[in-house]
Amino acid sequence: MEVLIVEDDDAMAGALAAGVATAGHRTTRVARGADALLVHRDFEVILLDLGLPDMDGLDVLRKLRQITDCPILILTARDDERSVVLGLRSGADDYLVKPVKLVELLARIEAVTRRAGRRTGTVPDTIVLGDLDIDLGRRVASRDGAVLPLTATEFELLALLARHAGSVVTREQILDALWGDAFLASSRSLDVHLTGLRAKLQKPGFIINVRGVGYRVEADPA
């Protein structure tokens, strides 16, 4: 697998490249956000630092999300709540705080790429729930004809719940389907993406929280 490392620190970039290579992946390193925007098409996963010399990593993330669904893992020293929330809501597939153990990094890379692989194999289909249309093939959701500005993860979450409309989808099932492993530390990511999805849908009561179990959408919403 081709991995792009966007990291301006030479020592950190070298360590990341060496570690990722132990799993058989090939790596390329760039030090600037502008360079990442130019070469992203050649890679299957991106490891993105937020502290870049030419532009903030969150701005790079937002620009990348406008042009690619490639899995992006933020790997940064920023561990404050605001940065985590902004990173995930801006479209990151995962958020890791330095220093990170190699085994965890490799597991997260494997998880997000498994998810991306399943996504590209989706058979085109459309789910209609009231005024909401979810085109699984085009990966577009619209309400009353207006396209909703969902991130890749928000769309995956909506599509998963819609496929099981009328039934409860457990948190573990969601974590497994979206992140590839129900036991990875992605529960916080799920909460952020769910909040963002609800805000963009603007359909109070559409996604029902089944306390202690998971979530459900109604098959035939009023």
Side-chain angles (χ1 to χ4, degrees), residues 15-16 113-115 126 149 155 163 171 188 194 204 207 214:
L16 286 173
T113 51
R114 280 205 309 269
R115 170 191 154 206
T126 300
F155 180 87
R163 289 190 191 101
R171 289 182 67 88
R188 190 180 190 186
L194 184 63
I207 299 177

Side-chain angles (χ1 to χ4, degrees), residues 134-145:
I134 306 165
D135 189 324
L136 301 177
R138 294 173 53 229
R139 296 183 52 74
V140 173
S142 58
R143 184 181 179 194
D144 288 331

Side-chain angles (χ1 to χ4, degrees), residues 35-201:
D35 295 330
L37 295 173
L38 289 174
V39 303
H40 73 90
R41 297 174 187 84
D42 299 326
F43 300 92
E44 297 163 82
V45 64
I46 299 171
L47 304 182
L48 176 65
D49 183 28
L50 296 184
L52 301 173
D54 61 331
M55 56 195 302
D56 188 84
L58 289 174
D59 291 332
V60 178
L61 172 62
R62 295 186 187 101
K63 291 179 182 296
L64 284 170
R65 274 294 165 250
Q66 294 176 22
I67 53 179
T68 181
D69 283 332
C70 176
I72 301 174
L73 292 84
I74 291 177
L75 189 58
T76 180
R78 298 184 194 174
D79 61 354
D80 59 284
E81 182 81 13
R82 181 175 182 275
S83 293
V84 175
V85 171
L86 282 175
L88 293 170
R89 286 186 174 172
S90 297
D93 293 271
D94 213 335
Y95 193 109
L96 301 175
V97 178
K98 301 174 184 175
V100 60
K101 294 181 180 178
L102 176 60
V103 64
E104 180 182 6
L105 174 61
L106 295 177
R108 298 294 187 94
I109 290 174
E110 181 181 351
V112 297
T113 51
R114 280 205 309 269
R115 170 191 154 206
R118 288 197 298 272
R119 184 171 67 221
T120 56
T122 300
V123 176
D125 198 2
T126 300
I127 300 174
V128 179
L129 296 173
D131 60 357
L132 186 65
D133 282 52
I134 306 165
D135 189 324
L136 301 177
R138 294 173 53 229
R139 296 183 52 74
V140 173
S142 58
R143 184 181 179 194
D144 288 331
V147 175
L148 301 174
L150 304 182
T151 67
T153 301
E154 288 166 353
F155 180 87
E156 285 292 324
L157 177 56
L158 175 61
L160 176 62
L161 293 173
R163 289 190 191 101
H164 297 85
S167 301
V168 176
V169 183
T170 69
R171 289 182 67 88
E172 290 77 14
Q173 288 173 327
I174 295 172
L175 292 173
D176 184 68
L178 270 64
W179 282 275
D181 191 328
F183 302 102
L184 284 178
S186 301
S187 182
R188 190 180 190 186
S189 299
L190 170 57
D191 293 334
V192 172
H193 289 304
L194 184 63
T195 299
L197 174 60
R198 281 173 162 157
K200 292 176 183 178
L201 287 174

Side-chain angles (χ1 to χ4, degrees), residues 200-217:
K200 292 176 183 178
L201 287 174
Q202 295 186 16
K203 290 171 67 71
F206 177 68
I207 299 177
I208 300 168
N209 184 5
V210 182
R211 187 175 179 84
V213 181
Y215 305 92
R216 183 184 77 248
V217 299

